Amino acid sequence: MVSVKRNLAYSTILTMSTYLVPLIVFPYISRTLGVRGIGIVDTVDNLIDYCILFSMMGLGTVGVREIAKNKDNPKALSQTFTDLFALNLCSTIFIAAVFCLIVCMSPQLQDFGILIPIGILKLIANLFWIEWLYTGLEDFRYITLRSICLRTLFILLVFLLIHTQADVAVYYALFTGITVGNALCNWFHKRTYLHWDIRRANIMRYFRPFFMLGVFAMLSAVYFKLSLPVLNFIAGSHEAGNYATATRVYQVVIALISTLTGVMIPRISVLMNENKFDLVSSYTNTAFKLLFLFSFPLICFVELLAPDIIRLFAGSGFDGAILPMRIIMLQLIVIGAEKIIVLQLLVPLRKDNAIVKAGLLGVIVWGILTILLVPKYHCMGTSLVWVAAEFSVLVIATIETYRTLSIGFPIKMLFWSALYALPYLPLGWLVLISTDHPTLRILFCSFLFVAYASVLEVKVYKTGIIKAILNLVKSTSNE
């Protein structure tokens, strides 16, 4: 069995590689497409992503859980994949048909032109991505190598093909191409693990968890995926562009936090099935250590350098994104903890009803505060609404987890982690007063923060992630 630390190392390398995409591409794209272009692309993509959530429902979590449970039984694995894929096929066809009907009846959506058909292609390609299969099999090496190759190709094509504001559709087509490329690679690679026959599919076998966890996924996505279109319709593309820019850094950062749950879910699903709750508690403790290790320096980094980050990577026209970015980054620990508690604990426990209740409360909070804050405060109000909604979900999920497993949010660990993180502030302040150059500030702060975080990992947290990454790089170079 592949070690969790090795999987974490692969996932960490993969996620850190995602930093290169916005770092390299977004400064160029923001200046080429402008605030309005960014707002249009992100509005359409968020609508399509919400359709994908409807089509996927709870497959991302149910699939990982069930594949992990059956991965040592080839016959059961093939049948599980067949049932889950057939279920996803039905839901994708239904959602694609409904979305096309909505587009035909909505002049506002028709104004987006060719972007809508491109988005529908992304919706269909997502059906064949089947990332849940490889995550459940814990094949993180394949996931990492494939993703890095496709992202590198995307970066090259962006610089070759995007030159003016009129290239909005070309950019979105390239962005959609990442999904299409992943889908093609995954679909052909699956033959390594299983044989399937759609004629033997039983779509009702996993329908209930597919639906229940899908409801939670859709409710959770309201805070992020629907917030941007709502903001666009209320305040226009310029405010939507500022908000989309403010979330750019957060999207990359939260992907790093998501690697924790992505790696832990298949392993914890097996441990809970074997009633090894001591190991479940140990893995959860490690996940929170990694969350605090990564999140505190990232929060301090963005709070100190938000103006430099925005002006360097987006341009002078995006100053309206600075305050929303600072607000959004404050919730990094909240959402990270929420992912650990919900996906790593409640999902393997099959507490589907409790998960849906938490998501429903979040949507209620989101809806009320959106009405009260967004029309007046625009993108800043949207940021505040998102933070409040996620916090309400975390509270309900934590209460349910504590009732069931006596595992809750580690307040004591949070307190000590905050104390350990205090040196980040004077380190950042020294950099700010030593130079006015945005690039130098970012580079110096990055170096100092990474150095101090490495010391904390070795001396305080002791998760072994640095050693695992170094061993992985060493073993890969020797292959």
Side-chain angles (χ1 to χ4, degrees), residues 305-350:
L305 298 173
D308 294 326
I309 294 171
I310 291 296
R311 289 162 189 160
L312 180 63
F313 295 110
S316 58
F318 290 81
D319 286 352
I322 293 173
L323 183 56
M325 173 186 279
R326 283 175 164 157
I327 294 171
I328 289 169
M329 284 302 297
L330 290 175
Q331 71 172 346
L332 189 58
I333 292 176
V334 173
I335 294 186
E338 179 191 324
K339 286 181 176 292
I340 292 172
I341 291 172
V342 173
L343 299 181
Q344 188 172 307
L345 298 176
L346 292 182
V347 167
L349 283 170
R350 290 174 166 79

Side-chain angles (χ1 to χ4, degrees), residues 30-341:
S30 62
R31 288 166 173 80
T32 304
L33 301 183
V35 178
R36 186 174 180 275
I38 293 295
I40 291 172
V41 170
D42 278 35
T43 297
V44 173
D45 195 54
N46 279 354
L47 287 171
I48 295 299
D49 280 350
Y50 207 69
C51 289
I52 289 174
L53 280 168
F54 271 95
S55 69
M56 290 286 289
M57 296 297 283
L59 183 59
T61 48
V62 175
V64 172
R65 184 176 71 192
E66 298 303 323
I67 292 295
K69 188 171 68 175
N70 295 292
K71 65 180 180 179
D72 295 325
N73 185 333
K75 184 177 180 180
L77 175 65
S78 296
Q79 187 61 49
T80 298
F81 173 83
T82 300
D83 296 343
L84 289 169
F85 178 79
L87 188 57
N88 190 206
L89 174 64
C90 294
S91 62
T92 299
I93 292 173
F94 175 75
I95 294 302
V98 170
F99 183 70
C100 289
L101 181 62
I102 293 173
V103 171
C104 291
M105 298 183 342
S106 173
Q108 212 166 8
L109 289 178
Q110 292 172 21
D111 287 343
F112 289 114
I114 192 65
L115 295 183
I116 296 296
I118 294 172
I120 293 173
L121 173 62
K122 179 182 178 182
L123 169 62
I124 295 171
N126 186 77
L127 168 67
F128 301 96
W129 193 335
I130 56 174
E131 194 82 329
W132 45 271
L133 170 65
Y134 300 100
T135 304
L137 292 169
E138 299 186 85
D139 192 355
F140 292 97
R141 183 178 186 274
Y142 163 73
I143 293 172
T144 300
L145 295 177
R146 180 212 66 213
S147 298
I148 289 175
C149 290
L150 288 173
R151 285 168 183 163
T152 302
L153 179 62
F154 168 74
I155 292 171
L156 293 174
L157 290 176
V158 164
F159 285 104
L160 287 173
L161 301 178
I162 309 299
H163 302 295
T164 68
Q165 290 187 355
D167 293 329
V168 169
V170 178
Y171 171 68
Y172 191 44
L174 292 177
F175 190 75
T176 298
I178 297 177
T179 301
V180 175
N182 278 307
L184 290 173
C185 292
N186 283 1
W187 189 252
F188 287 107
H189 186 63
K190 78 180 188 308
R191 292 177 294 182
T192 305
Y193 294 102
L194 54 85
H195 302 282
W196 71 295
D197 187 349
I198 193 70
R199 294 170 296 181
R200 298 182 179 179
N202 177 10
I203 64 173
M204 297 306 297
R205 183 181 175 194
Y206 297 111
F207 180 79
R208 187 181 185 280
F210 176 84
F211 177 78
M212 293 296 288
L213 291 174
V215 170
F216 173 75
M218 288 183 290
L219 292 174
S220 299
V222 166
Y223 328 139
F224 180 58
K225 297 298 181 184
L226 281 189
S227 290
L228 185 59
V230 168
L231 178 62
N232 195 338
F233 295 141
I234 291 175
S237 296
H238 190 274
E239 284 294 316
N242 282 328
Y243 180 74
T245 302
T247 63
R248 275 297 197 281
V249 173
Y250 166 82
Q251 290 175 31
V252 176
V253 170
I254 201 61
L256 177 60
I257 305 302
S258 297
T259 61
L260 307 180
T261 51
V263 169
M264 297 291 190
I265 287 173
R267 188 62 54 88
I268 286 183
S269 295
V270 173
L271 292 175
M272 284 189 176
N273 193 52
E274 297 172 350
N275 294 320
K276 296 180 179 179
F277 293 104
D278 289 342
L279 285 176
V280 170
S281 180
S282 176
Y283 279 128
T284 303
N285 188 59
T286 299
F288 274 110
K289 284 182 179 180
L290 288 168
L291 170 63
F292 297 147
L293 173 65
F294 287 123
S295 60
F296 274 109
L298 289 168
I299 290 172
C300 293
F301 184 86
V302 172
E303 296 303 319
L304 289 167
L305 298 173
D308 294 326
I309 294 171
I310 291 296
R311 289 162 189 160
L312 180 63
F313 295 110
S316 58
F318 290 81
D319 286 352
I322 293 173
L323 183 56
M325 173 186 279
R326 283 175 164 157
I327 294 171
I328 289 169
M329 284 302 297
L330 290 175
Q331 71 172 346
L332 189 58
I333 292 176
V334 173
I335 294 186
E338 179 191 324
K339 286 181 176 292
I340 292 172
I341 291 172

